[in-house]
Amino acid sequence: MDLQLSVRPGRGCTVLEVHGELDMATSPQLREGLQRVADAGDRRVVVDLAGVGFMDSSGLGALVVMFKALREAGGRLCLAAVQPAVHSVLMVTSVDQVIDVYGSVQAAEADMSSRDATAS
């Protein structure tokens, strides 16, 4: 299955919408998409995983690598609208303890905005 990525401006951040399965075949596309967002100067990124029903360790790796890259650049990456099967992968690997996970994109955007307000 092909991976589909779309980028849109969010409230105080950039939202990367992901549709498809995140596996060894598609995780390079995710990493490249996130890298393009970072290269464009976006430092606060919400990854909308509502359209992802499956993620293996390579997808997880792509998210962690870009989380670290954005953090080192003074930015932030978080996950939103995570499906149950993907959420269990995040929990088993404890990645949900490192990368913030939100129930909806709106909740992630609100937190990004509130953190911006408190940082000012």
Side-chain angles (χ1 to χ4, degrees):
M1 179 179 195
D2 285 343
L3 191 70
Q4 297 174 344
L5 304 176
S6 59
V7 178
R8 67 173 177 79
R11 198 173 69 201
C13 61
T14 299
V15 177
L16 177 70
E17 297 173 348
V18 184
H19 296 275
E21 294 185 353
L22 281 173
D23 56 25
M24 201 164 71
T26 60
S27 60
Q29 286 176 263
L30 174 65
R31 189 167 171 185
E32 290 165 12
L34 284 166
Q35 189 64 55
R36 279 194 301 274
V37 168
D39 290 347
D42 298 322
R43 295 290 175 255
R44 291 182 308 277
V45 179
V46 174
V47 181
D48 178 356
L49 295 175
V52 177
F54 174 83
M55 178 173 68
D56 70 6
S57 61
S58 58
L60 193 65
L63 290 171
V64 170
V65 165
M66 290 311 299
F67 167 80
K68 288 180 179 178
L70 281 166
R71 186 181 61 190
E72 289 169 8
R76 183 169 173 233
L77 179 141
C78 65
L79 309 177
V82 179
Q83 298 300 310
V86 174
H87 197 262
S88 60
V89 171
L90 296 171
M91 287 180 9
V92 165
T93 58
S94 297
V95 169
D96 65 334
Q97 301 299 307
V98 178
I99 301 176
D100 291 325
V101 179
Y102 297 89
S104 68
V105 172
Q106 293 80 7
E109 288 176 320
D111 192 51
M112 289 277 193
S113 295
S114 70
R115 289 189 190 207
D116 283 350
T118 57
S120 304

